[in-house]
Amino acid sequence: MMKLRHKNKKPSKGSKGCKKVSWSHHQPAKQNGKKAASRVASAPQFVHSNDRANWDTELKKKREEVLQELNMFPQLDDESTRKAYYKEFRKVVEYSDVILEVLDARDPLGCRCFQMEEAVLRAEGNKKLVLVLNKIDLVPKEVVEKWLDYLRNELPAVAFKASTQHQVKNLSRRSVSVEQASESLLKSKACFGAENLMRVLGNYCRLGEVRTHIRVGVVGLPNVGKSSLINSLKRSRACSVGAVPGVTKFMQEVYLDKFIRLLDAPGIVPGPNSEVGTILRNCIHVQKLGDPVTPVETILQRCNLEEISNYYGVSGFQTTEHFLTAVAHRLGKKKKGGIYSQEQAAKAVLADWVSGKISFYTLPPATHTLPAHLSAEIVKEMTEVFDIEDTEQANEDTMECLATGESDELLGDVDPREMEIKWLHSPMMKIADAMENKTTVYKIGDLTGYCTNPNRHQMGWAKRNVDHRPRNDSTVDVCPVDRRPMLQRIMETDPLQQGQALASALKNKKKMQKRTDKLASKLSDTMMSVLDLSGNADDSAGD
Ligand SMILES: Nc1nc2c(ncn2[C@@H]2O[C@H](COP(=O)(O)OP(=O)(O)OP(=O)(O)O)[C@@H](O)[C@H]2O)c(=O)[nH]1
């Protein structure tokens, strides 16, 4: 969600006499117990504060960067671009076994493309579809849950938050260590849900007895985060990412590992039926819009007015025009003759919308009806082929991790060998383990180590160890619980599952560290109380 940088300023109560059409009736009737209309004032009030100046400069700079970038890319509503992109999309479908349709969690239905889904389901080769609900960090958890509940009636859906690290750096290497990184840094930039998505693809390989590799096409509207998702899975900068639509222009193939190849596609641009909808879904370049004011009107209908007032430091507006004049004033957007420019302000607001700075979200419809292109058989087939029950619990875990800032992408920062050595040499760990007596003792060469036995959920690979290499028989191996060293087991396991296994190992490590710390403080408390007791004893002896 958008972070508010300034405290709420209550707008003054004002007149109701504005003649222009007001959008305030589109807002929820009450916010913070007051009618939205009661916040409306006759004239814009500007927030004046010194610390605002720096923020304004920063905001202006960023907005100019976005607008500059916007100018560098083609007009996506242009017919020839649309056709060229569609051709690329067809190629992706043709080459893929599984299609991931990336949706923006803020408006999943709005960016879902039924024609595209139909094309996938009709294509030769029995292709499978998975919905990826991306940008879950921009939406309250309850809303994500509601959408997952809704979407699972149709297709497998995976909750995801792509890494949004500074894209120039290799995503897998952070300049701060996991321990040093603040929770907010981890929360804001790390990836969540990669483990689950890999699990879903792994399930498909396992249940479909895939012998070589699969191709996974990543499709969706422009700017929904397709490239960010691929980069997060790849943990390196495989594809270019940008806060503007149309960064990806051609199909690109990315080797995730031996068994999975990802295909990045340019965004699908919907037809020209609803221009406002298309703009708001980031499919049209803001800078080139003839009428930027109408989409801002729609934004104001969808957003929380209080948040938007605080974001721009303006309040007391009653109409879109009123709001835009106030924003133009704040941002210093003037036309010739010194008149504040509503158009320029509207483009600035739209640039903020496109780059996700203005928060909003939609709720799923109250009742569910199956879209015409999906039948009960298709839903059943998709559910089975991806082992969806497994995924639903994992979606819960993803959201739990997002809430606590515990990302599966953190693995990228940890060298497994380093992890092993730290792990093996921690004396406190031995005490903790010995005390709790729930661990396996193991040896690598001269080193002795301890690890907790993985549970079923943490170590899916221990339950069923699938060999994906071509073989004569097609049975799935079921292994007994493996008691060899953790890392050795991980390295020997199916590469598709290694990320997941390492994630679990890292989680275990963290848990053990917590336990160790707890134990250490317990020990120190005990020692302190022993010392206190001796002190008391001395005192009493003295008495
Ligand atoms: N907050 C947040 N931002 C995201 C997330 N995923 C992507 N973004 C941002 O959304 C913008 C678009 O991301 P891209 O990965 O370029 O989107 P795309 O779908 O590949 O875009 P095209 O190449 O235009 O089709 C970038 O500014 C990303 O940083 C996410 O999970 N959370």
Side-chain angles (χ1 to χ4, degrees), residues 134-135 137 162 164 223-228 241-243 245-248 267:
N134 189 36
K135 306 198 185 183
D137 56 313
T164 46
N223 224 39
V224 289
K226 300 178 293 296
S227 304
S228 302
V241 170
V247 174
T248 311

Side-chain angles (χ1 to χ4, degrees), residues 76 85 102 104 106 133-138 160-165 167 188 190 219-232 239-249 264-268 282 354-356:
L76 288 184
Y85 280 17
V102 184
D104 188 324
R106 293 172 293 177
L133 204 56
N134 189 36
K135 306 198 185 183
I136 55 167
D137 56 313
L138 301 178
F160 202 85
K161 187 229 167 264
S163 169
T164 46
Q165 307 226 15
Q167 308 290 341
S188 63
V219 304
L221 257 55
N223 224 39
V224 289
K226 300 178 293 296
S227 304
S228 302
L229 177 136
I230 293 178
N231 288 343
S232 305
C239 308
S240 336
V241 170
V244 290
V247 174
T248 311
K249 297 182 193 69
D264 189 14
I268 302 156
N282 306 335
V354 167
S355 52

Side-chain angles (χ1 to χ4, degrees), residues 415-459:
D415 179 345
R417 283 159 302 176
E418 226 172 75
M419 179 169 96
E420 177 187 39
I421 288 161
K422 275 193 211 147
W423 200 348
L424 291 174
H425 285 295
S426 166
M428 287 309 287
M429 209 74 88
K430 292 180 191 176
I431 299 170
D433 292 333
M435 295 278 287
E436 295 210 355
N437 202 22
K438 279 186 194 160
T439 55
T440 306
V441 181
Y442 58 84
K443 273 181 176 276
I444 300 176
D446 295 339
L447 298 169
T448 307
Y450 303 80
C451 69
T452 47
N453 290 331
N455 65 33
R456 188 199 87 77
H457 197 62
Q458 289 165 325
M459 293 283 177

